[in-house]
Amino acid sequence: MSTFTPFQSIAATRRLLRSKELSPIELIEGLEARIASVDPAIGAYIERNLETAKKEAAHADLSKPLGGIPIGIKDAISVKGQPCQSASRILDGYTAPYDATAVARLRASGAIPFGRMNMDEFAMGSSTENSAFHPTHNPWDLNRIPGGSSGGSAAAVAAGTALATLGSDTGGSIRQPAALCGCVGLKPTYGRVSRYGLVAFASSLDQIGPLTSTVEDSGIILNAMAGKDPHDSTSLELPDEDFTAEIGRDLKGLRIGVPKEYFVDGMEPGVRSSVDAAIKQLVSLGAEPVEISLPHTEYAVAVYYIIATAEASANLARFDGVRYGRRSPEAKDLLSLYEKTRAEGFGREVKRRIILGTYVLSSGYYDAYYLRAQKVRTLIRRDFDQAFTKVDAIVSPTSPETAFRLGEKTDDPLKMYLADIFTIATNLAGICGLSLPCGFSNRDGVDLPVGLQLLGRPFGESRLLRIGHAYEQSTEWHKRRPGQPGL
Ligand code: GLN
């Protein structure tokens, strides 16, 4: 008899596997059945490919930290021998020739990478509606978006169709969908996890990180993935660390910064009240609140949309119909090959970003936009450096609102860009950030999850997870499950 039940944490599943109450194959079969019954309504997966996973499960090494644990992988992260398309038509027909380092390390820890989680094309978006495949639906209300760009990764964890998944975060793409779907998302410090094998969006901002149902699980996955990689010169050589080591310690003596720029008018009232209550809860656990200021916050979105698009325009130049994926059958010569392949292969938002990025890098505009944005980026980073001389962590909402309706913002890119107003500065500064459930907001009669964001100093993930875990375990939010029919 299989004891598979959806929504079990990695930590709990690991115990069941080791005590032989559950076999790795039963686990995958349980997931397979759950996906078959629930995912048609959600659309978190582009592909499931559980057959390979079953074969790997047959010889899982349960003595390893992630032995036999299946982990869903965002479609932007390479898994050897599997299609990897970043949810774009331009990568039709492309198969990854190698494992991303993050995936290879998960395997070395015994995990079984599987599936291709849906996302916004090239991770550009906040709703997963920019996927070239299909939109993903929020498990808490199927008429709503799951957030993005790692919307499939978040929706699967929230719907109990994956124990854990990998996402990537360039301006909020792990934390914002985690918040909107009511799960935990960790963006590691820039340089903590190798980007080798991640389809690049904006290379100075991108990081791979986990989406999980508990804070402890995100530490367990980070333990497996972190570390220097010779294939990524921006990954850093640091002493080995157990990111779960501080978990279980109390919060006495820790100072938590409350930045006034992150508590602005216009926020959804249910988000505001949930986050205010969460801060009180942290205080009741022994943390000391400190009012702080991050004065350059208001420039973060503008700076991000210059730097991220500039880097994207360079990174996406490689998709030209010659080396990877799609090649237009209509092309007559080299120039028309480029033009037609790119015209047919890229979606609207991706084209918009390439045009914006090319513009801000072009001669005459470079100094006015790109160079100036880099200078303001430095000011934003200094705000955080300053703040972290006074506090151990910073607390804020992850997103100013809960999940919006499918189609609500698709005609207004600026509104969509503002969905990341609280997450973007983290990537510009390169620091680490965690989102975890902190309550519900009633929107049009439906209770929707609210995310609490905790930000930590560079390479301060262990401290961040300690604070997140203490909060999580003192509340019941992470135990609530979506009650949509069929889930
Ligand atoms: N939503 C932001 C964007 O569209 C961030 C995306 C991300 O983090 N990949 O660029």
Side-chain angles (χ1 to χ4, degrees):
M1 244 288 277
S2 159
T3 50
F4 170 81
T5 41
F7 304 110
Q8 238 151 15
S9 66
I10 292 179
T13 307
R14 192 159 71 172
R15 282 192 291 274
L16 290 174
L17 290 172
R18 285 183 182 163
S19 65
K20 305 230 176 325
E21 285 161 79
L22 180 67
S23 77
I25 300 220
E26 285 167 341
L27 172 56
I28 307 256
E29 285 172 351
L31 265 185
E32 189 173 29
R34 175 83 188 159
I35 294 171
S37 76
V38 169
D39 198 57
I42 307 278
Y45 287 84
I46 294 172
E47 247 186 79
R48 295 132 195 216
N49 47 36
L50 284 153
E51 289 314 311
T52 328
K54 274 189 228 161
K55 280 185 207 129
E56 286 173 33
H59 31 85
D61 180 350
L62 299 180
S63 67
K64 291 186 171 172
L66 286 168
I69 301 288
I71 296 181
I73 309 291
K74 184 177 183 177
D75 195 36
I77 303 171
S78 306
V79 177
K80 188 175 176 174
Q82 249 193 52
C84 173
Q85 291 189 235
S86 236
S88 181
R89 284 287 162 219
I90 207 149
L91 280 164
D92 274 342
Y94 174 74
T95 298
Y98 58 86
D99 273 338
T101 300
V103 169
R105 290 202 173 159
L106 287 182
R107 281 195 207 284
S109 281
I112 305 177
F114 81 102
R116 294 168 56 201
M117 311 313 301
N118 200 18
M119 57 181 286
D120 286 299
E121 185 179 3
F122 286 108
M124 296 172 183
S126 305
S127 69
T128 312
E129 290 164 298
N130 294 336
S131 167
F133 295 96
H134 51 77
T136 295
H137 300 256
N138 191 310
W140 295 88
D141 179 350
L142 300 175
N143 298 313
R144 291 175 188 272
I145 55 94
S149 65
S150 310
S153 301
V157 173
T161 59
L163 275 73
T165 52
L166 292 192
S168 63
D169 191 313
T170 307
S173 275
I174 289 175
R175 291 160 289 155
Q176 185 258 13
L180 271 44
C181 287
C183 55
V184 176
L186 171 66
K187 185 204 92 75
T189 309
Y190 187 79
R192 180 65 95 180
V193 176
S194 167
R195 291 177 296 108
Y196 182 67
L198 168 69
V199 178
F201 164 9
S203 309
S204 77
L205 302 162
D206 299 340
Q207 268 292 292
I208 294 175
L211 290 105
T212 53
S213 60
T214 66
V215 172
E216 183 186 17
D217 280 2
S218 66
I220 293 174
I221 294 189
L222 188 61
N223 276 347
M225 292 196 303
K228 174 77 187 159
D229 172 15
H231 293 304
D232 174 4
S233 61
T234 64
S235 64
L236 277 161
E237 183 87 69
L238 291 158
D240 271 352
E241 194 174 332
D242 174 2
F243 298 103
T244 61
E246 283 196 34
I247 279 181
R249 287 174 57 188
D250 66 27
L251 303 189
K252 293 207 180 66
L254 294 185
R255 282 174 305 177
I256 312 272
V258 184
K260 58 172 192 267
E261 293 81 3
Y262 283 61
F263 291 82
V264 287
D265 287 342
M267 227 193 281
E268 190 177 312
V271 170
R272 175 81 205 225
S273 57
S274 299
V275 173
D276 284 347
I279 295 172
K280 288 209 184 83
Q281 180 67 9
L282 288 167
V283 172
S284 79
L285 292 170
E288 182 196 331
V290 180
E291 199 183 301
I292 57 163
S293 173
L294 299 164
H296 297 91
T297 298
E298 63 175 304
Y299 306 113
V301 172
V303 165
Y304 171 85
Y305 278 96
I306 293 171
I307 293 176
T309 56
E311 294 184 16
S313 72
N315 275 326
L316 270 56
R318 70 182 61 129
F319 302 111
D320 55 7
V322 178
R323 273 185 80 183
Y324 307 95
R326 189 187 184 97
R327 174 171 299 184
S328 173
E330 312 290 320
K332 299 198 173 49
D333 51 24
L334 186 62
L335 204 60
S336 75
L337 173 72
Y338 294 159
E339 282 175 2
K340 288 192 189 300
T341 301
R342 290 167 71 81
E344 295 161 9
F346 290 134
R348 276 176 70 86
E349 181 60 28
V350 174
K351 285 178 185 155
R352 180 168 18 244
R353 305 266 181 127
I354 293 173
I355 292 168
L356 274 171
T358 308
Y359 177 77
V360 300
L361 288 177
S362 58
S363 111
Y365 296 102
Y366 182 91
D367 289 359
Y369 294 112
Y370 184 72
L371 208 61
R372 194 173 288 181
Q374 291 290 14
K375 289 179 181 164
V376 182
R377 179 178 188 176
T378 303
L379 298 176
I380 290 169
R381 195 177 53 236
R382 281 192 199 144
D383 283 355
F384 283 104
D385 288 348
Q386 271 283 319
F388 286 124
T389 62
K390 295 188 220 114
V391 298
D392 296 280
I394 294 171
V395 64
S396 81
T398 307
S399 161
E401 61 175 338
T402 52
F404 42 92
R405 284 181 192 283
L406 282 148
E408 194 175 318
K409 295 186 204 280
T410 35
D411 294 334
D412 190 342
L414 279 183
K415 265 199 196 151
M416 194 71 94
Y417 295 176
L418 288 173
D420 295 293
I421 193 157
F422 296 147
T423 48
I424 270 177
T426 316
N427 302 69
L428 291 168
I431 61 176
C432 55
L434 178 72
S435 179
L436 69 160
C438 75
F440 288 82
S441 171
N442 194 282
R443 203 170 172 184
D444 308 328
V446 192
D447 274 351
L448 296 168
V450 177
L452 181 73
Q453 179 170 245
L454 293 168
L455 302 176
R457 58 168 65 94
F459 307 105
E461 286 89 347
S462 295
R463 181 68 41 91
L464 211 56
L465 296 178
R466 163 177 165 191
I467 301 169
H469 177 82
Y471 172 79
E472 174 192 82
Q473 293 304 309
S474 72
T475 65
E476 297 284 308
W477 307 121
H478 62 294
K479 296 186 182 154
R480 294 249 308 246
R481 304 290 172 232
Q484 288 283 293
L487 303 193

